Structure formats: structure tokens, C-alpha cells
Amino acid sequence: MSSSTQPLTVIAKLLDLSERRVQQLSREGVIPKATRGQYELIGSVRGYVRYLRDQAVKAQAGAPDYAVERARFIRARADLAEMEAQEKRGSVIAAGDVEDAWIAVLTLLKTRLLALPDQLAPLAFAQPNVGDTRNLIRRSMREVLDDLAEPDIDFETKDEPAGIADPEADGRDSSGRPETTAGDDDQRLGGSEPAAEL
């Protein structure tokens, strides 16, 4: 029975460890504790082999699996190619293009709404009563909103941001009539000639 237990020096040489490491593993419960300075030979070898196996499993669990990572890479490339094909077919729109289009729509809305007071002031002054003035303002606002309901958005150009055809860019309103601009007529609140309706 004496051959089944060995001193610390023999166990350390057998496991290729320092004596201190063997004692540490014994305290951690990896190797059975020594009895009177003697370590159980088979228990020590089994405990240390089990410990090494567990360490290998833990290390492998944290390491990336090549086959899984390659499949993920291939799937990502295929998804990217599919998105590019859909964009070329016109079934999807790039998020940047949508953002540019919304910015253009909102900029045009802001420009058109800020221009309304200059356009409407002379016309409102010429209206005979409040009801006609209200109808004039509503009609003008509806024209602006109707123009914006069907904007001409250009997604074809990749180098330039998406834009909207602005009917006011050439100095005309959406109906093709010249815009009313603020001028001397605005100063004549009590003048002899009221501004004519366009």
C-alpha cells in the first residue's frame, strides 16, 4: 500500500510542477490532500489531468470558431450584395438620400412659409373684410402645402444631395405668376391705390 502514496518531491517531478505548485493545487482541491506528507499517486494524477482538461475546455469556449466566423462573414457579404442590388433596382433608398430629401422638403417649407407674409400683406390690405382676408391666407397656405405634397425629389445624382424643384427659384409662385415682394406698397397703409390681387 505504500506504493500508492508518494512524497511531495515525487509527485512534483511526475506532474512536472514545482513542489509549491503541487501544494497550491492540493489546497484548491485539485489534488487530494496529503496525509503525513504523502500524496495519493493515482488521485494526484487523475486530479491534475481533470484540471488540465477543464482549463482546455474553458480556453476553447472563449476562442472563436473559425467555421462559424467564416459562415458569418459570408452571410454578411451576401446581405451587403443583396442590399446593393436592391438599391440599384430602386426598391430601397439609402438612408442618407432619405435624410437629404427630408432636409430639402423642410427647407423649402420653411422658405415658402416665411415668404407668405410678404406675399399676402398687400393682398390682405386690399380685401374688403376679415372673411375674405382669412380665405386668402388659407388659399395661400393650401397652395404651399399642395406644392409640398408632391415634391420633385431627385435620387439619381450620387454626388449631389437630393433636391426638390423649387417653383419659387425663378421669382414665380407655384402657379407661375410673379411673386409679390415687399416694397413701397407695404409702406402705403393709407395710400390712394390699394395693391391689386394677383
Side-chain angles (χ1 to χ4, degrees):
M1 202 62 141
S2 62
S3 64
S4 65
T5 60
Q6 295 294 329
L8 175 62
T9 54
V10 173
I11 298 296
K13 286 180 184 174
L14 180 65
L15 299 178
D16 194 24
L17 299 171
S18 68
E19 292 180 7
R20 189 171 189 177
R21 181 63 178 145
V22 171
Q23 290 171 335
Q24 184 182 13
L25 291 173
S26 179
R27 282 193 300 272
E28 292 173 5
V30 173
I31 295 173
K33 294 202 183 269
T35 309
R36 290 187 226 134
Q38 299 287 313
Y39 288 86
E40 193 178 310
L41 179 63
I42 295 173
S44 297
V45 172
R46 281 185 183 164
Y48 189 60
V49 168
R50 191 177 307 121
Y51 169 77
L52 292 177
R53 190 181 309 130
D54 290 346
Q55 293 297 326
V57 168
K58 286 178 186 174
Q60 220 173 23
D65 184 358
Y66 176 75
V68 170
E69 292 300 313
R70 178 151 175 77
R72 192 169 73 86
F73 174 72
I74 291 170
R75 192 167 42 251
R77 277 186 34 188
D79 289 346
L80 183 60
E82 179 62 27
M83 285 188 285
E84 288 174 357
Q86 286 178 340
E87 186 175 354
K88 287 181 180 171
R89 285 193 299 262
S91 58
V92 295
I93 301 170
D97 291 342
V98 172
E99 182 180 0
D100 290 344
W102 270 109
I103 289 171
V105 167
L106 295 174
T107 301
L108 182 58
L109 176 62
K110 177 182 173 186
T111 303
R112 296 288 305 272
L113 289 178
L114 290 175
L116 281 179
D118 290 338
Q119 293 173 358
L120 297 180
L123 300 174
F125 183 73
Q127 298 302 313
N129 58 46
V130 174
D132 290 341
T133 304
R134 184 182 321 117
N135 290 337
L136 171 69
I137 294 170
R138 280 190 181 147
R139 187 171 52 250
S140 299
M141 289 177 66
R142 197 165 305 283
E143 285 177 12
V144 169
L145 294 174
D146 288 344
D147 286 345
L148 292 174
E150 297 179 22
D152 181 19
I153 301 174
D154 179 20
F155 287 109
E156 299 303 319
T157 57
K158 290 292 181 190
D159 297 334
E160 300 173 9
I164 297 178
D166 184 357
E168 294 183 354
D170 62 354
R172 299 187 172 274
D173 68 9
S174 60
S175 62
R177 298 178 297 201
E179 284 186 16
T180 304
T181 57
D184 294 334
D185 290 341
D186 292 342
Q187 304 301 322
R188 285 185 287 146
L189 293 178
S192 58
E193 293 180 5
E197 183 175 349
L198 297 177

